[in-house]
């Protein structure tokens, strides 16, 4: 079965640079979520989109922005990168009318390292 | 806001034995969903099992089962016949009802499986 695709899988950036992370949800899934997982920590919710509209917002820095496009893929744009942004960034997708808890299925993550 | 607590940072179990991971949560909502996710060394987030709060019957998926005590706000995971491949970080997660609701994770329990 098709899974959530994230690209790139690994990214190395310098401080103050920008980065764009992409997420391709499972086909027919209409909801996308972004999470940030720091070293040794649990995933923290950043932002979600349902039918291309922002649905919920968590602890996402103002330096970050995201959107969901007409084909339902999503991009997380990160500017003025800081050392503390080094983390694993997960995208998850779900089908809003999918039943039991609208289960979120996670992609493999993008490992961002800021030097 | 909802909180999820996993009080066991690390657990160890011998192969073929049974282990129980604990999770408690705090919420004022009457309907919600609970999940256990597994994160192996690859750091992929893999859904293990889910429970709808309105269901009294405990969820079961092969060797994995839960003990859901709604009044006590407790949601423990039992792994039977433990296998080496079960070694991972296990996260308990809470999700409100409603479209595009985020997951709130506990801090995780690292499970070690020994021969």
């Amino acid at each position: 079965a098709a899974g959530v695709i994230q690209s790139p899988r690994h990214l190395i950036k310098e401080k103050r640079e920008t980065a764009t992370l992409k997420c391709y949800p499972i086909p027919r899934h209409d909801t996308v979520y972004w999470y940030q997982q720091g070293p040794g920590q649990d995933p923290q919710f950043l932002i979600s989109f349902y039918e291309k509209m922002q649905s919920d917002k968590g602890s996402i820095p103002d330096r970050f922005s995201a959107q969901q496009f007409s084909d339902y893929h999503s991009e997380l744009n990160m500017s003025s990168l800081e050392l503390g942004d080094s983390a694993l960034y997960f995208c998850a997708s779900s089908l809003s009318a999918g039943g039991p808890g609208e289960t979120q299925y996670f992609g493999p993550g993008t490992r961002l390292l800021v030097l | 806001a909802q909180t999820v607590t996993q009080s066991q940072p690390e657990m160890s179990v011998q192969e073929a034995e049974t282990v129980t991971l604990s999770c408690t949560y705090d919420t004022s909502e009457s309907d919600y969903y609970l999940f256990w996710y597994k994160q192996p060394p690859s750091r992929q987030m893999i859904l293990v099992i889910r429970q709808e709060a309105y269901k009294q019957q405990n969820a079961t998926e092969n060797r994995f089962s839960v003990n859901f005590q709604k009044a006590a706000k407790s949601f423990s995971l039992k792994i039977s016949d433990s296998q080496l491949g079960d070694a991972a970080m296990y996260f308990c997660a809470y999700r409100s009802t409603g479209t595009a609701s985020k997951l709130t994770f506990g801090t995780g329990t690292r499970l070690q499986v020994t021969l």
Side-chain angles (χ1 to χ4, degrees):
Chain A
V4 177
I5 297 172
Q6 290 187 247
S7 68
R9 294 291 308 278
H10 302 271
L11 193 56
I12 300 175
K13 291 287 185 178
E14 299 279 341
K15 278 172 53 179
R16 292 180 289 278
E17 285 190 325
T18 61
T20 297
L21 278 54
K22 296 184 179 183
C23 170
Y24 298 86
I26 292 171
R28 295 196 308 118
H29 281 195
D30 50 16
T31 307
V32 167
Y33 312 78
W34 288 96
Y35 294 87
Q36 177 193 58
Q37 186 179 29
Q41 297 184 354
D42 55 286
Q44 295 293 314
F45 171 72
L46 293 177
I47 196 167
S48 63
F49 294 87
Y50 166 62
E51 281 291 345
K52 292 153 280 184
M53 297 288 290
Q54 182 181 306
S55 181
D56 195 6
K57 201 170 181 180
S59 50
I60 183 170
D62 292 339
R63 300 177 288 108
F64 293 8
S65 65
Q67 58 182 321
Q68 186 179 30
F69 295 86
S70 58
D71 63 351
Y72 294 97
H73 94 274
S74 178
E75 295 184 4
L76 177 66
N77 298 292
M78 310 160 71
S79 62
S80 302
L81 287 169
E82 302 174 356
L83 297 179
D85 295 329
S86 295
L88 182 60
Y89 290 83
F90 284 110
C91 173
S93 75
S94 69
L95 180 61
S96 63
E102 293 179 23
T103 299
Q104 295 179 27
Y105 295 92
F106 284 73
T110 293
R111 296 183 190 228
L112 172 64
L113 177 61
V114 181
L115 302 176
Chain B
Q2 295 79 29
T3 59
V4 179
T5 301
Q6 294 179 249
S7 58
Q8 307 156 314
E10 292 187 7
M11 293 283 285
S12 182
V13 63
Q14 282 192 320
E15 202 176 15
E17 296 297 307
T18 295
V19 65
T20 298
L21 308 183
S22 301
C23 172
T24 58
Y25 58 94
D26 188 29
T27 184
S28 59
E29 298 175 334
S30 59
D31 200 13
Y32 47 86
Y33 303 98
L34 296 165
F35 303 84
W36 280 96
Y37 281 88
K38 167 185 177 182
Q39 189 174 42
S42 67
R43 300 197 72 186
Q44 171 80 47
M45 292 290 284
I46 302 167
L47 175 68
V48 175
I49 199 165
R50 62 186 170 217
Q51 175 79 43
E52 294 87 349
Y54 63 85
K55 289 187 177 179
Q56 293 189 345
Q57 186 174 7
N58 290 323
T60 299
E61 289 286 344
N62 301 313
R63 299 182 295 107
F64 299 87
S65 62
V66 298
N67 183 4
F68 173 49
Q69 301 290 327
K70 191 172 183 180
K73 296 180 182 176
S74 171
F75 183 60
S76 61
L77 175 69
K78 185 171 82 170
I79 306 174
S80 304
D81 186 24
S82 296
Q83 302 174 359
L84 294 177
D86 295 333
M89 182 72 88
Y90 286 81
F91 290 99
C92 178
Y94 175 103
R95 184 187 179 282
S96 300
T97 59
T99 300
S101 292
K102 67 181 181 184
L103 289 168
T104 299
F105 290 89
T107 51
T109 296
R110 183 170 302 282
L111 179 65
Q112 189 177 30
V113 181
T114 59
L115 294 172

